[in-house]
Amino acid sequence: MRRTEPEGHGPVRYGPPLPDDGLPVLPELSAVLAAAAGRAGSEPVGGGAALLDAACGYWERRGLATGPEHVVAAPGAPALLLALTAALGGDVLVPRPCAAWWAPYARLLGRPVFHVATSAECGGVPDPYALLETVRRVRAEGGDPRLLVLSVADDPTATVAPPEMLHETVEAATGEGLHLVSDETWRDTLHAPHDTVLLSPAEMLPDGVTVVTDLAGALLPPGWPAAVARFSEGGAQAGLHARVLDVLTALGARVAGPVAAAATYALGEAEPLGAHVDAVVRLHARVAEAAHHAVVAAGALCRPPQAGRHLYVDLGPLRSGLAAHDVGDAQELEDFLAARLGMPAPGGHRFGDDLAALRVRLSTGPLLGGTDTERAECLDSPAPLELPHVERALVNLKSVLDDLRDDAQRWEPPR
């Protein structure tokens, strides 16, 4: 398969950002940031007392008792993952596909990254047998696997790992002496929270998991970078907290003072913010369901989205139709769909998938409209899918996919 890696599309320089909610900032949150705008300084490395206490409360409400001495804050999850990778050493294991920002930080440190297959049921968590085989192979070739990064609520696949599968993977990783980093950025965006069971690996393995949460997932706008990490209280990685603080100090990775104030408020989950988060999740769940219906109706493959503001689409069944448009790999598919849909459509190769596979991540935010007014209208409407600008966006998505289906049927060889 011909590789298409044009200038400006390298894996580090071009990295798909987290799917934005596309909505105006909550006024109460803006007011907190504005009130702190006079703070000229930044937080201490690792976060100030108020921010760390708020993070502890956030995790305690989710069943993870946490003391401030086991929490670190940073300006975004990438800084935390970079610090963790540097502090732990060794080779890194990630699922295939995985969040686009995971692998580049290990490679910047010169650490090998090995992708492990996931099951057909969900993404985000490696298949336990594939994990064991990968660890065996890497060690046989002289490698030193030490770190496994996974996500129970996944970017890019928008799936949630069943607890029984997660437990098998955690057991396999523990048996091989791996440290787990659980990216839980999307855990607060479950589309059906009363019907979906989400467990953190930290609940299964108290002494061997570091939890990382980027607040851009549900609580803060992505332009206000803040993330928190929760460390286990003991075990073999007892000194990891201190080593991560050393790396963050060397990087100068401090949360800006006004952003820290907003993050503290967000982690406290006051009633206005909680109601806003719930409304945003419901909106994106409805749009994702409609987009998923359009994708499947056109003959493409896609797991039903369960979390986040995105879905992961496999257009392999429409390959012959895409070939008629000179689309033969994920990079060409990315360029083709971005032009046709008028919205970003990062190819699966951005997430560690095979370049030859015709997969893309589609975000729901761009389907909400082109202006703040239109997007705010979506949040306030009891029937957002019936708004003209949302309906037009969904019709356009359906039209593009249906045209590809028709092209594929036209080029299908006679039986």
Side-chain angles (χ1 to χ4, degrees):
M1 176 63 66
R2 179 172 58 89
R3 295 190 64 86
T4 54
E5 198 71 58
E7 185 67 24
H9 286 71
V12 175
R13 285 173 293 161
Y14 179 85
L18 294 178
D20 191 357
D21 67 14
L23 299 166
V25 179
L26 180 70
E28 288 84 351
L29 198 56
S30 296
V32 172
L33 186 78
R39 291 175 57 180
S42 60
E43 291 280 284
V45 171
L51 178 55
L52 299 184
D53 285 342
C56 291
Y58 169 87
W59 275 309
E60 285 169 4
R61 290 189 294 276
R62 287 154 180 80
L64 292 172
T66 307
E69 68 277 12
H70 300 296
V71 179
V72 164
L80 288 172
L81 186 57
L82 177 64
L84 282 162
T85 306
L88 285 164
D91 302 341
V92 180
L93 303 171
V94 297
R96 183 191 300 276
C98 69
W101 56 273
W102 288 359
Y105 293 94
R107 294 191 179 114
L108 286 173
L109 292 169
R111 303 286 168 73
V113 178
F114 298 93
H115 290 267
V116 186
T118 56
S119 72
E121 188 174 1
C122 69
V125 175
D127 175 85
Y129 298 103
L131 176 64
L132 292 172
E133 174 58 24
T134 302
V135 170
R136 184 201 64 77
R137 176 175 54 81
V138 171
R139 286 179 175 153
E141 295 173 357
D144 182 22
R146 296 188 196 176
L147 171 61
L148 170 63
V149 188
L150 50 75
S151 56
V152 287
D154 186 43
D155 172 21
T157 65
T159 57
V160 176
E164 58 275 10
M165 175 180 295
L166 178 64
H167 186 266
E168 291 179 6
T169 299
V170 168
E171 279 197 331
T174 303
E176 296 298 330
L178 303 178
H179 184 83
L180 275 66
V181 170
S182 176
D183 176 9
E184 300 184 8
T185 294
W186 300 104
R187 71 165 297 154
D188 297 320
T189 65
L190 299 184
H191 294 179
H194 299 296
D195 300 323
T196 306
V197 178
L198 185 152
L199 286 180
S200 169
E203 298 177 71
M204 302 178 178
L205 185 64
D207 292 336
V209 178
T210 301
V211 177
V212 172
T213 299
D214 196 310
L215 304 194
L219 301 177
L220 285 183
W224 303 2
V228 287
R230 175 193 182 273
F231 294 81
S232 57
E233 296 187 8
Q237 304 297 333
L240 182 59
H241 177 274
R243 297 199 300 276
V244 166
L245 283 176
D246 287 342
V247 177
L248 293 175
T249 300
L251 295 173
R254 303 168 185 261
V255 181
V259 173
T264 300
Y265 174 81
L267 287 165
E269 298 178 293
E271 194 280 330
L273 180 71
H276 176 76
V277 169
D278 290 344
V280 171
V281 171
R282 285 195 300 270
L283 170 61
H284 282 277
R286 295 176 72 174
V287 176
E289 183 181 15
H292 178 259
H293 179 76
V295 165
V296 174
L301 303 175
C302 181
R303 298 183 184 101
Q306 298 174 285
R309 302 185 282 263
H310 52 284
L311 55 163
Y312 197 58
V313 182
D314 185 349
L315 291 161
L318 307 181
R319 181 177 290 276
S320 58
L322 287 162
H325 299 278
D326 296 322
V327 174
D329 64 24
Q331 177 62 66
E332 293 166 346
L333 179 62
E334 174 183 299
D335 297 336
F336 174 80
L337 285 182
R340 290 295 180 96
L341 297 174
M343 57 185 274
H349 60 306
R350 307 294 181 193
F351 309 100
D353 231 334
D354 185 0
L355 179 67
L358 295 175
R359 300 187 184 115
V360 293
R361 186 190 70 186
L362 299 179
S363 299
T364 51
L367 302 174
L368 302 181
T371 67
D372 283 346
T373 300
E374 288 180 342
R375 292 188 286 265
E377 190 179 359
C378 294
L379 197 58
D380 297 332
S381 172
L385 300 184
E386 298 175 10
L387 294 172
H389 52 278
V390 178
E391 189 174 22
R392 282 195 301 272
L394 289 170
V395 166
N396 182 51
L397 173 64
K398 184 177 185 303
S399 176
V400 169
L401 295 173
D402 285 350
D403 286 348
L404 290 174
R405 177 198 60 202
D406 294 343
D407 290 341
Q409 291 173 348
R410 189 177 303 116
W411 287 95
E412 187 175 296
R415 297 176 184 245

